[in-house]
Amino acid sequence: MFRRTFTTACCGTLALAIAGCSSTGDDKPAATSSGKVTTVKLVTHESFVIPKDVQAEFTKTTGYQLQVLASGDAGKLANSVVLAKGNPTGDVVFGIDNTFASRVVDSGALAANEPKALPKSASKYALPGEAAQSLAPIDFGDVCVNVDDAWFAAKKKAKPQSLDDLTKPEHKDLFVTPGAATSSPGMAFLLATVAKYGDDGWQDYWKKLKANGVKVTSGWSDAWGVDYTAGGGKGTRPIVLSYNTSPADTIKDGKPTTSAMTDSCFRQVEYAGVLKGAKNEPGAKAFIDFMLGKKFQASMPKNMYVFPVDDQVKLPDAWQTAVKVPDKPLQVDPTKITKNRDDWLRRWQDAVSG
């Protein structure tokens, strides 16, 4: 789903390292002499991170070893699950977000599963209809336009306050965003404009952005780490598409130097599901239950820069200062996304390349 802040992007390497350390060394799941499978294979995206102590807790409480198979982003993950329908590479999948959920559910690649103890606050993130029987909500985050407040203050320029402001002459050549066709947050921003301007107006909005010098990159890492003035490099663009948690990475002298435009935010929710045909279905269900437990939920903000669906989890202190959660994030019905995704992407490509 989510390509979060620069900190979390670096954690993708850690996730792959964990995957290697957790491997059983071959394609066969480890088993006891009685034949019980003791390894749970998790298929996920490259930004998945589970601390060693949390992983150890899963093994201690369930008896299962976790093997992490991580690669690509939410789009690649969804495609791989659909293509492997009936013959999955793992037992459980995590990282299917609400922009791809309906497609995966409709493919028949998931088995029905009812978690033992879904946090009460998680119900608001449940998918509509029968999809809720296949995918359990684990975390959420908001893709938002971020502004380098320090840059605008130093230049004595007024910073943008709305999506419409990004198309105004005073913000020409200042905005960078990952592309919708190649990036999960980029797709989320496209959906934000669909939600904001409607099917008759979003393409015209993108044409205005194009005319006003928007830069489209292949992924979030380039936008944040190369082009953004408050990112990891020496960028020249003080407006970037990122997450509402990103300002927590720019705290200086106790205050963030950047902010997120909360009326531009699109809500992304990540889900976990049991893969149909899994060799270890009981283990898959056990891991989903574990992800919804306090230990794993509490590890998510610090390690993956997302909000747990359990609202009783204490958030990092920096988030109290720097992170704002939109009251009414922009949203599009998952079934509508599935129906229109290809057409929207084609029209988006026309708008930004025209």
Side-chain angles (χ1 to χ4, degrees), residues 44-46 71-83 96 100:
T44 186
H45 52 59
E46 63 188 1
S71 66
D73 67 2
K76 182 178 179 180
L77 175 63
N79 289 336
S80 67
V81 169
V82 171
L83 290 173
I96 302 295
F100 286 97

Side-chain angles (χ1 to χ4, degrees), residues 211-234:
N212 209 41
V214 64
K215 182 175 182 178
V216 178
T217 65
S218 61
W220 174 89
S221 295
D222 285 339
W224 176 276
V226 177
D227 293 296
Y228 187 39
T229 52
K234 297 181 179 179

Side-chain angles (χ1 to χ4, degrees), residues 147-148 151-153 155-175 208-209 211-214 236-239 261:
V147 179
D148 184 350
W151 186 94
F152 279 95
K155 299 289 185 180
K156 297 183 179 180
K157 293 179 177 290
K159 65 180 184 179
Q161 302 290 336
S162 67
L163 290 177
D164 286 341
D165 285 349
L166 301 183
T167 67
K168 294 180 178 179
E170 56 265 36
H171 298 126
K172 186 176 178 62
D173 298 330
L174 299 184
F175 179 40
K208 291 178 182 178
L209 282 180
N212 209 41
V214 64
T236 61
R237 294 181 178 245
I239 310 171
M261 285 171 30

Side-chain angles (χ1 to χ4, degrees), residues 273-292:
V274 177
L275 293 167
K276 186 176 289 187
K279 292 181 175 65
N280 188 358
E281 186 171 312
K285 292 180 177 180
F287 187 66
I288 292 175
D289 290 335
F290 181 77
M291 295 182 85
L292 290 166

